[in-house]
């Protein structure tokens, strides 16, 4: 393990600092928007521009890296991210936040692509799966740490924005000082959504559902927590519990989907997630019980994306996996941009609990679609199913890390 991690230690260190700062901003921005008296619709729209920036950057970043290289691209994007974070406090108005959230969405997406392309360049077929798992664990753990950093200061003041800016600035240092060779230029992202739809109706539908629900959650999760009376410390525990649920159950549910029809796992996860959503909306609990609900909700909802990706990939050829992964990610990103404004309509009518009513509607709808699809489309029997791999929602470059992107070498006679 040491020989695997030492050459990329600087990169992983930068990634950890980056995601602590990013995790802090994920929770701080919706909370601060509510403090600044943004309406639910305005909060939803600022969240949408984040995802629009995320998607557009996936298309543009490879061209930037091709022009100036990985290290310079990382340094520029991280510097812009750090500067923009400070502007949120300086300009707490809706119109400014639309632009600022678009910029940080573009920055974090580009940074993900640089990191993942670098990891892919250092990976071999034998180490790809291990690197992917380590990277996913670091991402989830550091985002949870960043959320807990919200307890260090009053979210209505400038301190937390300054802390996030410091972390993002420090993230530039390890990568800039690394002595390892820069990786080869990354691939330009290619999309073929029609091919993705042909390969997997359920996979694409699941990406839409996952995007709608999680996009709404990241926009309004802290607002909901405030609405049910949680203080800042309890709010951060609630947000972290959702991520923890996804982290704890992603691999077990994924492995379960290796042995049964993945659509069944998605169906029951969606039904369960919809049920927990209704509990959170109609009978919000307090204390430890609310955290239990949050963990189970995260287990059901935050795992959908990776299982949908695995299901879509089962029908694809090895050389199509990056194309399928990119299509699933873009579908997710566009749906995430729509999720927050749609959820805001529910919240205007029902208050903060409307967030989870919206989630329940989306999840029940997806479960219904799966049941219809299973009746009309019988999957062919495969002698061997590629094992599930945990994949976080980052950038198209992460799919190149998955061992399924490389076809196995055919054995020659006499081997």
């Amino acid at each position: 393990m040491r020989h695997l991690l030492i050459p990329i230690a600087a990169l992983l260190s930068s990634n950890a600092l980056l995601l602590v700062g990013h995790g802090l901003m994920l929770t701080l921005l919706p909370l601060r928007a509510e403090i600044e008296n943004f309406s639910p619709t305005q909060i939803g729209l600022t969240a949408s521009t984040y995802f629009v920036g995320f998607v557009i950057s996936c298309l543009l970043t490879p061209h930037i890296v091709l022009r100036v290289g990985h290290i310079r691209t990382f340094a520029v994007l991280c510097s812009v991210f750090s500067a923009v974070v400070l502007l949120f406090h300086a300009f707490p108005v809706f119109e400014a936040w639309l632009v600022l959230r678009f910029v940080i969405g573009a920055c974090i997406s580009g940074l993900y692509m640089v990191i993942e392309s670098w990891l892919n360049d250092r990976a071999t077929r034998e180490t790809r799966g291990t690197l992917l798992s380590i990277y996913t664990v670091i991402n989830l753990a550091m985002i949870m740490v960043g959320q807990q950093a919200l307890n260090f200061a009053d979210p209505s003041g400038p301190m937390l924005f300054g802390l996030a800016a410091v972390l993002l600035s420090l993230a530039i240092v390890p990568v800039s000082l690394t002595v390892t060779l820069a990786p080869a230029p990354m691939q330009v992202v290619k999309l073929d959504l029609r091919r993705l739809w042909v390969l997997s109706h359920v996979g694409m539908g699941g990406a839409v559902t996952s995007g709608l629900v999680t996009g709404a959650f990241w926009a309004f999760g802290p607002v909901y927590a405030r609405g049910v009376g949680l203080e800042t410390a309890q709010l951060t525990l609630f947000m972290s519990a959702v991520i923890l649920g996804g982290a704890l159950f992603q691999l077990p549910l994924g492995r379960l989907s290796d042995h049964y029809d993945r659509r069944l796992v998605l169906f029951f996860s969606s039904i369960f997630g919809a049920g927990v959503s209704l509990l959170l909306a109609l009978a919000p609990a307090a204390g430890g019980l609310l955290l239990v609900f949050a963990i189970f909700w995260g287990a059901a909802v935050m795992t959908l994306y990776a299982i949908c990706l695995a299901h879509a990939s089962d029908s694809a050829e090895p050389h199509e996996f990056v194309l399928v992964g990119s299509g699933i990610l873009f579908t997710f990103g566009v749906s995430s941009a729509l999720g927050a404004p749609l959820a805001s309509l529910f919240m205007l009518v029902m208050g903060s609990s409307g967030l989870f009513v919206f989630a329940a509607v989306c999840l029940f709808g997806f479960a219904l679609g799966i049941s219809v699809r299973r009746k009309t489309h019988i999957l062919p029997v495969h002698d061997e199913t590629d094992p599930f791999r945990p994949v976080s929602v980052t950038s198209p470059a992460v799919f190149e890390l998955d061992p399924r992107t490389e076809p196995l070498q055919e054995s020659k006679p006499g081997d």
Side-chain angles (χ1 to χ4, degrees):
M1 182 67 72
R2 181 181 299 177
H3 74 279
L4 175 64
L5 295 179
I6 288 178
I8 56 172
L11 183 63
L12 294 179
S13 298
S14 289
N15 179 59
L17 290 166
L18 168 68
L19 288 178
V20 174
H22 179 52
L24 172 57
M25 294 299 293
L26 282 175
T27 304
L28 174 59
L29 288 177
L31 184 57
R32 181 60 180 269
E34 187 188 34
I35 293 172
E36 299 294 342
N37 296 316
F38 286 21
S39 69
T41 300
Q42 289 176 321
I43 296 174
L45 289 174
T46 59
S48 294
T49 59
Y50 167 87
F51 287 108
V52 171
F54 191 101
V55 169
I56 291 176
S57 182
C58 288
L59 297 172
L60 296 181
T61 300
H63 299 283
I64 299 173
V65 173
L66 187 63
R67 182 178 178 85
V68 302
H70 284 72
I71 294 176
R72 288 179 179 175
T73 301
F74 186 94
V76 167
L77 290 175
C78 223
S79 295
V80 172
F81 197 168
S82 177
V84 168
V85 161
L86 296 175
L87 295 178
F88 280 100
H89 178 73
F91 301 100
V93 294
F94 169 65
E95 293 78 10
W97 278 41
L98 284 175
V99 176
L100 296 177
R101 292 211 73 178
F102 174 87
V103 173
I104 66 170
C107 287
I108 191 63
S109 175
L111 289 164
Y112 277 140
M113 289 195 77
V114 170
I115 293 167
E116 290 156 7
S117 174
W118 199 321
L119 290 174
N120 180 60
D121 188 74
R122 295 292 177 262
T124 64
R125 179 169 182 83
E126 291 73 23
T127 62
R128 285 184 194 278
T130 301
L131 272 179
L132 182 61
S133 298
I134 292 172
Y135 177 62
T136 300
V137 169
I138 290 174
N139 285 359
L140 295 172
M142 292 302 104
I143 287 175
M144 284 192 289
V145 170
Q147 290 172 340
Q148 294 305 310
L150 192 68
N151 295 301
F152 289 167
D154 184 356
S156 64
M159 184 66 71
L160 291 175
F161 290 103
L163 175 60
V166 168
L167 290 166
L168 294 168
S169 297
L170 290 175
I172 303 172
V173 177
V175 161
S176 299
L177 293 179
T178 184
V179 295
T180 59
L181 295 176
M186 64 178 68
Q187 297 181 15
V188 175
V189 177
K190 296 182 180 180
L191 293 176
D192 189 348
L193 297 182
R194 180 179 297 179
R195 173 61 177 163
L196 176 60
W197 177 250
V198 170
L199 287 172
S200 178
H201 290 33
V202 170
M204 198 168 184
V208 170
T209 303
S210 178
L212 289 173
V213 175
T214 57
F217 173 77
W218 286 119
F220 294 115
V223 177
Y224 166 84
R226 281 290 197 205
V228 297
L230 299 187
E231 300 297 330
T232 300
Q234 297 169 315
L235 182 153
T236 57
L237 285 175
F238 173 77
M239 297 294 291
S240 294
V242 172
I243 302 300
L244 180 62
L248 291 177
F249 284 87
Q250 187 180 75
L251 193 56
L253 287 176
R255 292 290 169 82
L256 187 66
S257 74
D258 285 341
H259 300 288
Y260 300 95
D261 187 343
R262 296 197 204 273
R263 296 176 300 181
L264 278 177
V265 177
L266 290 170
F267 175 82
F268 287 112
S269 292
S270 299
I271 291 292
F272 183 76
V276 177
S277 295
L278 290 178
L279 287 175
L280 287 166
L282 304 177
L289 185 58
L290 181 61
L291 294 181
V292 172
F293 285 170
I295 289 173
F296 284 140
W297 193 84
V301 174
M302 295 297 175
T303 57
L304 288 179
Y305 175 85
I307 299 176
C308 288
L309 174 62
H311 176 65
S313 302
D314 288 339
S315 302
E317 298 296 329
H319 69 275
E320 293 180 306
F321 184 68
V322 174
L323 181 148
V324 168
S326 300
I328 291 288
L329 177 66
F330 277 92
T331 303
F332 172 90
V334 172
S335 302
S336 298
L338 298 174
L342 292 175
S344 72
L345 300 178
F346 283 74
M347 297 177 72
L348 285 173
V349 176
M350 305 176 189
S352 60
S353 63
L355 168 63
F356 286 103
V357 174
F358 171 75
V361 170
C362 293
L363 293 167
F364 272 129
F366 180 47
L368 179 61
I370 294 173
S371 64
V372 171
R373 183 62 176 168
R374 288 194 78 243
K375 290 180 180 178
T376 60
H377 182 247
I378 306 299
L379 290 176
V381 177
H382 295 285
D383 294 333
E384 183 177 345
T385 301
D386 286 331
F388 173 83
R389 298 281 181 179
V391 178
S392 56
V393 182
T394 51
S395 81
V398 76
F399 305 120
E400 299 174 27
L401 272 172
D402 197 306
R404 289 172 290 185
T405 62
E406 297 183 4
L408 292 171
Q409 297 290 333
E410 295 184 1
S411 298
K412 297 179 181 180
D415 283 0

